[in-house]
């Protein structure tokens, strides 16, 4: 690489964002458009006796009111699940229907039963209040573990015991034997609580059916417009794919919640054809709380076995994972292939067994949320590690060091085969932890903690050494495991006659900085300026079919597709340059934006070759004009970033309030393209992980009502809750992609939650507190301190 890759270049897209000039879905309007508002159930579980729309339809300005019965009469399906995970015995998983609007029975607060369309959004809102729905309220179930018990409310009649599937991974017999022979066993039970994504931009849709062209257009807050087009066209509305255009403009955050195809935008598309006018819908914040897919919601019993020397001999977990009321697109793979497969962690554990039961509950559907399964796995492993170290009287760093997988680069040393299906690509975990200990000055931290203890203060240090799997791959393998879509990505490089370059990216950006990093990579490769590179994404009519942005995959997968196209440009460019220089392409080398005959000063520049490609007067006879290439890239394997995070907290003895006083993150995401963007991603991820540890959590009562469904009640972390984060890195390149990169977007979230909880448990160790359920609110911490036990 040249002069741009590895530099902390400021994000070019921020020029418009910091000036408030981003263009989001709600900023777009169409002539003669209407406005939609959904009528949503106030009950978590109820039969619908009748829906009376007459008063709403009589209101001035109301264009049309549709109900769930209209959807049923039209024979429309709803959104689908994109990953099949079957029962242990081979039976097909249960996949209950998820209608666009409900006609018979609502299954969570927020389930849509009608849609009001009016000339303006205020009239639509007022009219929605006039729709009268008669319900018979039923009992609800919200606890994932209780959902399978006898007598629990049945969410779907065709899902016995509320069980979607049961699933296992690993060697059960070997794991049981490890525990039978263990010198020490550490056990924890916990609820990895339900979280609300709360992206700053609420979901929105603007749908238009053009009768003249028999074509649909959807503006949507989507992380993957091509997947939205595929699912909506092929499975929901039966629209030929070439008749549906999906445009995702600037998207104000997603954290996974905008990966999925929601029924709300499907309803808008269908309604647009029915009324012959564009339909616009934008959620308000309260609506987002009860309709955006939530994250986590795992109830887990976890155990780790050790021999007398502190070597891990076995790990087993039993998890009840809530899917919510319906199956979202990727919900089923989160507690299985994105969670169970990471239960090896960074350790040489010889026997691992993971058991998962996925259930439906009367709550908002659950799907991928920043980290998606990997935070849950890391929380299990890293909480067990710190707890075991305390129980066995060992320093938590030494227990980790004793059990780390030895360093391997994936080239000279093969990838590490885990006990839970995956093969890690490359890693040097001990060196990474040593770097973190150095940055944090661990010996000084311990002295500070001990001094505080002597003064009657409660200071604790917590660790998290983690690994994650990014860029789900390869397509053939994940297809055999139940995925109903491919996991490749695509990009094209168009070199214009003037030597300027346009990248058409299959990946979509919603905060990751693609317009900067992709331009850095291409400008660096061609030896041109970043101002000469433009990045286009988010429009299914203008970019190649890509699988979107999620799972920290964009640079490793789409970036690799970009590099494949770059290589194709260079190969053709070399043939054109060789013709102009009257030599063989093999005699040329490319550097600093020019092809040069080796050992001479004879060269031709990138811009000259570009112009020649489009004005082919002095041109190879067998070459067609142009310099424009597209590529698909299907990864050979996941990429496996890892790291060490260290958290220091102080707990107020009088109130139980936790103050995070120091936070160190040393991550390894392979080769780094832009360290400033990497640091920014880590900062954001750490903030969200701390949010889960200390502040956040969706609270439901037994009737399925979300008790904290607004910003007044749902505690989000604020800037003044954090210290200045200290970040550093090690670099262990990925051996199987052309950039040597690994993902970073979710690392902070995966690592930080157990690091914070471990630090609090360290601070409370003298109180006999072994574990607390998240979030660690002041009341919960204070109660534990004053009851000499768990709370």
């Amino acid at each position: 690489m040249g002069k741009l890759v590895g530099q902390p270049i400021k994000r070019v897209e921020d020029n418009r964002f910091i000036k408030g000039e981003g263009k989001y879905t709600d900023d777009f309007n169409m002539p003669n458009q209407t406005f939609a508002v959904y009528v949503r159930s106030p009950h978590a579980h109820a039969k619908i006796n009748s829906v009376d729309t007459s008063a709403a339809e009589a209101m001035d300005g109301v264009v049309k009111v549709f109900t769930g019965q209209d959807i049923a009469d039209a024979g429309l399906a709803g959104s689908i699940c994109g990953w099949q995970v079957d029962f242990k015995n081979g039976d097909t998983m249960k996949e209950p229907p998820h209608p666009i609007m409900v006609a018979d029975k609502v299954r969570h607060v927020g389930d849509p039963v009608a849609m009001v369309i009016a000339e303006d959004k205020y009239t639509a809102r007022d009219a929605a209040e006039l729709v009268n729905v008669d319900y018979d309220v039923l009992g609800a179930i919200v606890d994932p573990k209780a959902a399978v018990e006898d007598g629990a409310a049945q969410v779907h009649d065709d899902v016995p015991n509320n069980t979607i599937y049961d699933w296992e991974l690993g060697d059960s017999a070997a794991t049981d034997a490890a525990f039978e022979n263990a010198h020490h066993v550490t056990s924890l039970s916990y609820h990895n609580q339900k979280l609300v994504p709360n992206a700053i931009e609420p979901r929105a849709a603007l749908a238009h059916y053009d009768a003249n062209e028999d074509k649909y257009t959807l503006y949507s807050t989507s992380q993957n417009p091509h997947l939205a087009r595929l699912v909506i066209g092929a499975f929901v509305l039966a629209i030929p794919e070439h008749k549906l255009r999906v445009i995702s403009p600037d998207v104000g955050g997603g954290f996974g919640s905008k990966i999925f195809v929601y029924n709300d935008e499907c309803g808008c598309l269908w309604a647009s054809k029915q009324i012959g006018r564009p339909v616009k819908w934008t959620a308000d914040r309260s609506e987002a709380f009860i309709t955006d897919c939530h994250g986590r919601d795992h109830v887990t019993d976890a155990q780790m076995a050790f021999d007398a020397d502190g070597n891990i001999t076995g790990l087993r977990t039993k998890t009840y994972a809530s899917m919510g009321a319906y199956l979202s697109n990727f919900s089923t793979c989160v507690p299985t292939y994105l969670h169970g497969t990471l239960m090896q962690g960074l350790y040489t554990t010889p026997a691992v067994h993971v058991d998962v039961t996925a259930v439906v509950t009367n709550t908002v559907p659950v799907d991928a949320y920043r980290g998606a399964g990997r935070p849950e796995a890391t929380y299990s492993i890293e909480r067990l590690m710190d707890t075991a170290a305390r129980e066995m009287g060992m320093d938590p760093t030494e227990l980790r060091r004793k059990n780390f997988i030895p360093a391997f680069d994936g080239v000279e040393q093969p990838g590490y085969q885990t006990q839970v299906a995956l093969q890690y690509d490359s890693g040097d975990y001990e060196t990474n932890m040593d770097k973190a200990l150095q940055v944090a000055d661990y010996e000084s931290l311990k002295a500070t903690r001990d001094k505080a203890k002597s003064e009657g203060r409660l200071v604790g240090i917590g660790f998290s050494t983690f690994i994650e799997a990014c860029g789900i791959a390869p397509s053939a393998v994940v297809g055999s495991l139940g995925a109903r879509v491919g996991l490749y990505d695509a990009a094209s490089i168009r070199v214009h006659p003037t030597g300027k370059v346009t990248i058409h990216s299959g990946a979509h950006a919603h905060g990751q900085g693609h317009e900067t990093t992709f331009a850095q990579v291409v400008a660096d490769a061609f030896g041109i300026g970043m101002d000469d590179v433009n990045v286009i994404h988010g429009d299914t009519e203008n970019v190649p079919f890509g699988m979107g942005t999620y799972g920290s995959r964009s640079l490793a997968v789409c970036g690799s597709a970009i590099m494949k196209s770059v290589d194709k440009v260079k190969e053709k460019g070399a043939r054109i340059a060789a013709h102009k220089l009257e030599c063989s392409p093999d005699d040329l080398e490319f550097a600093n934006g020019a092809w040069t005959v080796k050992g001479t000063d004879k060269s031709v520049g990138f811009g000259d070759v570009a112009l020649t490609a489009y004005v082919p007067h002095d041109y190879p006879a067998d070459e067609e004009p142009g310099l424009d290439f597209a590529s698909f890239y299907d990864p050979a394997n996941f990429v496996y970033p890892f790291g060490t995070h260290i958290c220091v907290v102080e707990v107020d003895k009088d109130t139980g309030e936790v103050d995070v006083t120091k936070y160190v993150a040393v991550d390894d995401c392979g080769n780094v393209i832009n360290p400033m963007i990497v640091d920014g991603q880590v900062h954001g991820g750490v903030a969200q992980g701390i949010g889960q540890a200390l502040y956040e959590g969706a609270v439901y009562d037994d009737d399925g009502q979300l008790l904290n469904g607004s910003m007044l009640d749902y505690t989000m972390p604020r800037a003044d809750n954090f210290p200045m984060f200290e970040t550093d890195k090690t670099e262990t390149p990925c051996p199987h992609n052309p950039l040597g990169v690994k993902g970073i977007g979710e690392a902070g979230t995966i690592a930080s939650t157990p690091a914070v909880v471990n630090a609090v448990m360290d601070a409370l160790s003298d109180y006999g507190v072994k574990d607390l359920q998240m979030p660690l609110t002041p009341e919960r911490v204070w109660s534990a301190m004053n009851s000499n036990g768990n709370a």
Side-chain angles (χ1 to χ4, degrees), residues 503-519:
I503 304 169
H504 293 88
S505 163
H508 183 276
H510 48 279
Q512 293 81 4
H514 293 174
E515 292 174 42
T516 304
T517 51
F518 288 173

Side-chain angles (χ1 to χ4, degrees), residues 570-591:
K570 285 184 173 181
E571 289 170 9
K572 183 173 181 179
R575 295 195 297 270
I576 297 171
H579 178 82
K580 294 176 72 69
L581 294 168
E582 300 180 337
C583 67
S584 166
D586 294 337
D587 295 331
L588 297 176
E589 58 185 2
F590 185 84

Side-chain angles (χ1 to χ4, degrees), residues 440-450 459 461 646 648 662:
D441 192 356
Y442 182 43
E443 294 304 317
S444 176
L445 289 183
K446 289 191 291 185
T448 299
R449 177 189 59 189
D450 295 343
V459 172
I461 306 168
I646 303 172
V648 181
K662 185 180 183 70

Side-chain angles (χ1 to χ4, degrees), residues 302-317:
Q303 293 180 300
M304 188 174 279
F306 297 86
D307 67 16
D309 295 323
N311 298 301
I312 305 171
T313 59
L315 171 70
R316 63 186 176 197
T317 64

